[in-house]
Amino acid sequence: MKVTGADAVERLRVEELSVHYGGVRAVSSVGFTVEPGQSVGIIGANGAGKSSTLKALMGLVPRSGGRISLGERDLTRVKARDMVRHGIGYVPEGRHVFPGLSVEKNLMLGAYSRAWDTETHRQLDEVYALFPVLKEMRDRLAGALSGGQQQMLAIGRALMTRPRLLVLDEPSMGLSPKLVGNILDVLRRLREEGLSLLLVEQNAKLTFGATSHCIVMENGEVAMSGTSAELSQNPRVREVYLGL
Ligand code: ATP
């Protein structure tokens, strides 16, 4: 069995998405698609509008314009809490695990939208197979885990919803290079399962390693897009985002 709902992936389409905070424009007419099984990265400097794009996609900040669809379904007016029912799993920036609950309770909360049945137990086993360290620590409080382990837990919790598309906001933030490598391995494994991924990162190296396609955001707009292989060879990208 797969850990994801990747057998039923559909195209995510984001069109002319805009976000304003008060009078300040943070995202301006951003559009992209994530084809079934594709992994798409959004890179950009601090304040480029990456997180705002994801939050607006998930319905976590108000949009001042734009349309969102998954397959044939229009999700433009779907509320954040209902996105998960449409197969979109979200790993927020900063992890947001529940520190006073055990690892296993945190994972079980990921499946809140479904009845807790044998299927859910199987899903828990799949998540433990992907992250053996979480199984070892299943009874520990989430607050006692290291940053890397909390990131695994946040990804595991999102996988408990059996998503068809996994959206991750800066999963490498604050992690050592070794742990960033672990996250990269996990993302590659999910990609091999055929899960669609949308990854926002400041770490361009990780993003190019984990994705097939990338968007570069600058000042709230899409400045460049293409395959990750092409973009990682682009002289400007190499200089500005890879420091080469
Ligand atoms: P980072 O990597 O630092 O998170 P980012 O590319 O994700 O950067 P955003 O966090 O989306 O960028 O921010 C885009 C712009 O919107 C920035 O100028 C930021 O200061 C502004 N901004 C973000 N959140 C808010 C908010 N809640 N209220 C007002 N302005 C905001």
Side-chain angles (χ1 to χ4, degrees), residues 21 26 45-52 93 170 202:
Y21 297 109
N46 249 329
K50 307 178 299 294
S51 291
S52 298
E93 185 176 349
E170 302 253 9
Q202 279 197 44

Side-chain angles (χ1 to χ4, degrees), residues 40-153:
V40 175
I42 304 180
I43 61 169
N46 249 329
K50 307 178 299 294
S51 291
S52 298
T53 300
L54 275 205
K55 286 182 188 148
L57 160 67
M58 295 303 298
L60 292 166
V61 298
R63 308 175 194 117
S64 42
R67 289 174 300 281
I68 291 152
S69 59
L70 191 65
E72 296 299 309
R73 277 162 297 149
D74 183 357
L75 302 187
T76 309
R77 281 174 224 300
V78 171
K79 296 209 161 57
R81 64 170 180 272
D82 295 323
M83 280 296 200
V84 65
R85 291 184 215 281
H86 291 277
I88 303 185
Y90 179 58
V91 183
E93 185 176 349
R95 298 141 205 165
H96 296 287
V97 299
F98 297 100
L101 295 181
S102 71
V103 165
E104 188 149 301
K105 287 232 166 67
N106 269 271
L107 290 172
M108 285 158 73
L109 279 172
Y112 74 94
S113 63
R114 302 201 322 233
W116 186 250
D117 54 15
T118 49
E119 172 68 15
T120 324
H121 279 284
R122 231 188 349 247
Q123 185 68 8
L124 187 61
D125 287 342
E126 293 292 330
V127 170
Y128 282 149
L130 189 64
F131 300 115
V133 66
L134 296 183
K135 187 169 187 182
E136 281 164 32
M137 303 199 160
R138 66 205 293 172
D139 297 321
R140 293 261 192 99
L141 292 183
L145 302 188
S146 71
Q149 290 161 347
Q150 288 190 10
Q151 188 62 63
M152 305 287 177
L153 181 55

Side-chain angles (χ1 to χ4, degrees), residues 134-200:
L134 296 183
K135 187 169 187 182
E136 281 164 32
M137 303 199 160
R138 66 205 293 172
D139 297 321
R140 293 261 192 99
L141 292 183
L145 302 188
S146 71
Q149 290 161 347
Q150 288 190 10
Q151 188 62 63
M152 305 287 177
L153 181 55
I155 297 174
R157 184 178 56 188
L159 290 174
M160 286 300 291
T161 65
R162 230 176 138 65
R164 292 179 290 219
L165 167 72
L166 187 63
V167 174
L168 302 108
D169 197 352
E170 302 253 9
S172 79
M173 195 195 271
L175 301 186
S176 68
K178 182 174 175 290
L179 290 171
V180 170
N182 292 350
I183 298 284
L184 183 58
D185 289 342
V186 166
L187 296 182
R188 283 192 176 136
R189 166 125 182 243
L190 295 174
R191 204 180 135 182
E192 279 162 17
E193 278 203 6
L195 179 70
S196 302
L197 291 176
L198 179 61
L199 170 67
V200 155

